Amino acid sequence: MAENTPVLELRDVNKSFGPIDVLHDISLKVHAGEVLCLLGDNGAGKSTLIKTLAGVHRPTSGTILMDGDEVSFDRPKDAQDRGISTVHQFGGTFPLMTIGRSFFVGVEPTKKFGPLKIFDRKTANETAVKAVQDFGITRIDDGDRLIGGLSGGERQSLAIARAVHFGARVLILDEPTAALGVKQASHVLRIVLEAKKRGLAVIFITHQVTHAMAVGDHFAVLIRGALAANFMRGEKSREEITDLMAGGEALADLDSIIEGYMETHEGHPPAPVA
Amino acid sequence: MNSATQSVSTGTHGARPGLGVTLGRLARRPEAGSLLGMVAVFLFFALSAGTIFVSPAGFASWLNVAAEIGIVALPIGILMIAGELDLSIGAVIPASSLTLAIISGYYGLPEPIGIAAALAFGLLVGAINGFLVLRTEVPSLIVTIGTMFAVMGLTLGLSVLLTGSTSTNIVPSPFYKALLGQFVGGMFQVTIFWWVGFIIVAAFLLHLSPFGNWVYALGGDKISARNAGIPTERLTITLFMMSGFCAAFVGVGQAMVYQSAQVVGGQSFIFNSIMCVVIGGVLLTGGFGSVAGIVLGTITFSIVNQGIYFTGFDPNLGSVIIGALLLLAVLMNDTFRKMALTYSTKKKS
Ligand SMILES: Nc1ncnc2c1ncn2[C@@H]1O[C@H](COP(=O)(O)OP(=O)(O)OP(=O)(O)O)[C@@H](O)[C@H]1O
Ligand SMILES: [Mg+2]
């Protein structure tokens, strides 16, 4: 990765909720055309970190830079206006809204209606349906259907499709593959690679080593809110990454499992599926 | 609303929009239940009350009631779709009525000043409600009960302090009387026409403008709405200001119609408007509802409220009917909402 200006940079970012310190002195860079895999155990602070980048939370201290300039996001809209598009771990769709309306919440397409501007339902529905169909979910063909009638994975796909549609510079995905089937999960990975090829910076949170290994260029591991490791692809082995993802605590345990595996598999470690 | 190519029951006959399709499409709308309810209630009173109920005087009796509640029910319904409640309207209505009566009646200042002050007062209470709900994060039910009592107390205190009385008369000039307080054809309050205007504006805002999309998103999932880039705080305050404004407008109309204003009165609007809205298919917890539903719910409520006097029944029976209707409406609306959720085109891909 060339040493050009990172799209996003965090410098000594701290975040606490009242007395609870969640993030400690995080310094991290993400470049254009790079996939950063953010790894760590449950409760490590991954979602909190990306929420500070998405404008949901303001850091308690520290700075965020975009293209080398200091930025401060007071609300999610500020981050979106800068081209940062986020799929959060939970929510993101509205059960009692139609697919077309939910897809365009906050960025509604309009058309002229006399002197007035009205919501362009047709464009919204067509764009939304096309976006999810491109995602391999061809069952959805009517933008007037309510979100609540879709499956969890279909909703997740819709949320990701939305982020991809509006993401201009940075795409942040918080456990996007958690609810997805094999086909849709691999599609998300393909989308991530495609976004990277288009020059976007992607921040990808996952608990699945396979998914991380498949797309990651750059790995950052959080343990209890601190940056425990920060390395590029190829600098650490799959086993080391697995241990780090487990919070560093399951080390001995995992080692023996992997050793046991290697013994019964003629010295081969578990094969990367990607 | 829906594209014309979907069949509800069977996907195989996709391109035949027949009666079944039209009915099916209607059944998925938030106002489906309230339409049925209104028709049933109307037929019931038309049959049991005789011809007087379907005469112009019969229509006027419930339309006059519907118009006043309806103007408040619209913003209350939109607030409820956004996941909030506003009970303070019950105090804003008499307070704004008195504001106008004291300024233009007691002190004799020109009506535009009195009207502007009354409406500004409504907007102010709304802004305070919105601000308190956002700052304290206390449910709006509690916050607006608080502001309701505060406004009630202030109204009484100021009225006695300024005029030495709890009621004030106002004799509006002919122009303002015609604009806000006359009876068209001797029986139809001009408020009915204002109501129609408010309905058009509300329908445009909620169903055609992007603003409406924000309201549904806010009521559906507040956090996701904010994450999606909606200015949720500004939106919440705006919605409370709308209900404050509409309540003040009704108060102004009442002062013009009755040519007097009292400290008490207006409390009935609190429950009545909520009932109209819920009968109209708005989900109490937010995220679902329509202007058409709110209007139908208001009409249904008003027909029962007034129609009972045209029958030989004990007027107290009217309350029983309204209570039963409310329960029935909620059950029916739940059913229709489930139908809307499970609706699929069932095309195999
Ligand atoms: N709004 C909040 N107020 C108080 N504490 C919070 C808040 N949000 C998160 N936390 C705390 O911060 C810690 C990190 O949470 P976070 O959601 O960032 O974890 P995560 O790494 O995303 O975990 P997971 O893998 O389970 O999604 C947790 O201990 C959580 O309880
Ligand atoms: Mg998380």
Side-chain angles (χ1 to χ4, degrees):
Chain A
M1 211 44 39
E3 269 312 302
N4 45 12
T5 323
V7 178
L8 266 182
E9 181 179 354
L10 291 101
R11 283 193 195 150
D12 301 319
V13 166
N14 286 279
K15 177 70 194 171
S16 9
F17 296 102
I20 313 160
D21 296 328
V22 177
L23 297 177
H24 310 281
D25 292 330
I26 307 283
S27 295
L28 204 56
K29 290 178 185 171
V30 201
H31 289 88
E34 179 184 273
V35 179
L36 166 68
C37 284
L38 198 54
L39 311 173
D41 202 4
N42 291 130
K46 306 179 296 294
S47 296
T48 308
L49 179 63
I50 62 106
K51 279 180 187 165
T52 62
L53 294 175
V56 177
H57 299 317
R58 284 173 61 103
T60 312
S61 69
T63 47
I64 299 174
L65 294 96
M66 197 164 180
D67 302 317
D69 300 324
E70 194 176 328
V71 288
S72 125
F73 302 137
D74 291 329
R75 55 187 74 83
K77 180 101 174 52
D78 296 346
Q80 275 167 25
D81 290 344
R82 288 290 211 129
I84 301 176
S85 179
T86 310
V87 179
H88 291 281
Q89 192 172 2
F90 305 108
T93 54
F94 305 90
L96 291 169
M97 289 176 80
T98 66
I99 290 166
R101 281 182 169 266
S102 180
F103 193 88
F104 282 96
V105 157
V107 277
E108 292 79 6
T110 53
K111 62 179 180 194
K112 279 239 161 71
F113 179 73
L116 303 164
K117 271 202 182 133
I118 65 168
F119 178 72
D120 187 351
R121 180 179 137 265
K122 192 159 162 278
T123 306
N125 284 358
E126 283 171 4
T127 315
V129 167
K130 182 168 183 309
V132 267
Q133 290 206 337
D134 286 351
F135 232 86
I137 300 193
T138 44
R139 259 159 307 151
I140 295 178
D141 53 8
D142 178 5
D144 276 325
R145 265 182 78 179
L146 298 185
I147 300 283
L150 306 182
S151 79
E154 287 169 338
R155 282 191 221 183
Q156 179 92 15
S157 301
L158 188 72
I160 298 168
R162 178 184 197 273
V164 171
H165 187 82
F166 292 109
R169 303 289 316 281
V170 182
L171 183 62
I172 302 177
L173 304 171
D174 193 348
E175 298 193 27
T177 52
L180 298 187
V182 179
K183 188 175 106 196
Q184 281 75 16
S186 69
H187 196 83
V188 169
L189 300 180
R190 228 178 314 135
I191 291 259
V192 166
L193 293 175
E194 222 168 81
K196 163 186 157 176
K197 215 173 356 165
R198 289 202 332 249
L200 269 77
V202 183
I203 301 177
F204 183 66
I205 298 179
T206 182
H207 285 294
Q208 276 167 287
V209 198
T210 324
H211 291 170
M213 299 289 284
V215 294
D217 300 306
H218 175 181
F219 300 82
V221 184
L222 287 180
I223 295 181
R224 283 186 294 278
L227 196 58
N230 187 7
F231 54 92
M232 302 310 277
R233 186 185 191 88
E235 287 177 12
K236 280 203 192 335
S237 71
R238 181 191 171 86
E239 292 75 55
E240 286 172 301
I241 296 175
T242 310
D243 294 347
L244 282 163
M245 284 174 75
E249 286 167 12
L251 202 73
D253 219 19
L254 266 168
D255 265 355
S256 60
I257 292 170
I258 289 162
E259 263 164 29
Y261 185 96
M262 283 164 77
E263 269 169 29
T264 52
H265 290 76
E266 298 155 354
H268 292 299
V273 194
Chain B
M1 276 299 284
N2 291 290
S3 55
T5 46
Q6 263 86 44
S7 164
V8 192
S9 43
T10 53
T12 41
H13 317 288
R16 255 195 324 173
L19 180 67
V21 178
T22 317
L23 283 180
R25 217 181 285 158
L26 176 70
R28 297 194 303 272
R29 308 258 328 134
E31 60 272 8
S34 52
L35 182 63
L36 287 180
M38 189 197 72
V39 171
V41 161
F42 185 84
L43 288 178
F44 172 77
F45 283 104
L47 293 176
S48 58
T51 50
I52 175 84
F53 179 73
V54 291
S55 73
F59 272 87
S61 77
W62 58 261
L63 272 174
N64 289 343
V65 169
E68 281 190 359
I69 303 176
I71 290 176
V72 190
L74 287 168
I76 293 295
I78 295 175
L79 258 179
M80 200 184 279
I81 293 173
E84 306 287 355
L85 286 169
D86 183 1
L87 306 196
S88 70
I89 51 143
V92 170
I93 292 173
S96 55
S97 208
L98 261 176
T99 304
L100 170 61
I102 291 176
I103 291 178
S104 301
Y106 188 78
Y107 290 113
L109 292 170
E111 274 108 343
I113 296 177
I115 293 171
L119 296 179
F121 174 76
L123 288 171
L124 177 71
V125 175
I128 292 171
N129 280 333
F131 185 79
L132 287 178
V133 166
L134 292 174
R135 269 309 115 86
T136 62
E137 290 180 28
V138 169
S140 51
L141 173 78
I142 306 298
V143 168
T144 57
I145 288 180
T147 50
M148 176 185 77
F149 277 103
V151 170
M152 261 163 43
L154 264 176
T155 311
L156 179 62
L158 281 175
S159 173
V160 172
L161 187 75
L162 294 174
T163 67
S165 159
T166 56
S167 78
T168 304
N169 294 332
I170 173 171
V171 185
S173 60
F175 174 73
Y176 288 99
K177 176 80 183 167
L179 194 65
L180 293 162
Q182 70 166 318
F183 285 86
V184 179
M187 55 178 99
F188 294 97
Q189 265 182 41
V190 68
T191 322
I192 297 167
F193 300 93
W194 283 104
W195 181 36
V196 173
F198 277 87
I199 292 170
I200 293 169
V201 173
F204 174 80
L205 281 178
L206 195 60
H207 298 305
L208 292 179
S209 79
F211 174 90
N213 221 33
W214 300 1
V215 173
Y216 284 103
L218 183 63
D221 180 347
K222 198 183 284 189
I223 292 170
S224 292
R226 181 171 181 266
N227 288 346
I230 293 177
T232 48
E233 306 212 328
R234 213 176 64 208
L235 182 63
T236 305
I237 292 182
T238 308
L239 292 174
F240 276 105
M241 287 177 77
M242 276 167 52
S243 73
F245 177 86
C246 290
F249 186 90
V250 169
V252 166
Q254 286 191 336
M256 294 297 193
V257 171
Y258 307 116
Q259 307 207 353
S260 89
Q262 285 88 32
V263 169
V264 290
Q267 279 82 350
S268 66
F269 277 87
I270 302 171
F271 276 123
N272 291 355
S273 63
I274 291 177
M275 268 192 291
C276 292
V277 165
V278 172
I279 291 174
V282 176
L283 187 60
L284 199 57
T285 47
F288 198 66
S290 69
V291 168
I294 298 169
V295 172
L296 292 171
T298 307
I299 293 176
T300 309
F301 174 86
S302 309
I303 288 177
V304 178
N305 190 283
Q306 292 299 301
I308 201 77
Y309 296 110
F310 291 92
T311 66
F313 306 133
D314 180 346
N316 291 319
L317 196 64
S319 303
V320 178
I321 297 181
I322 288 174
L325 207 62
L326 185 73
L327 202 63
L328 201 69
V330 172
L331 291 174
M332 206 153 61
N333 291 335
D334 278 352
T335 312
F336 280 120
R337 197 171 51 252
K338 285 205 188 86
M339 280 173 67
L341 277 173
T342 51
Y343 146 74
S344 99
T345 51
K346 285 184 189 153
K347 279 180 195 151
K348 289 278 172 286
S349 51

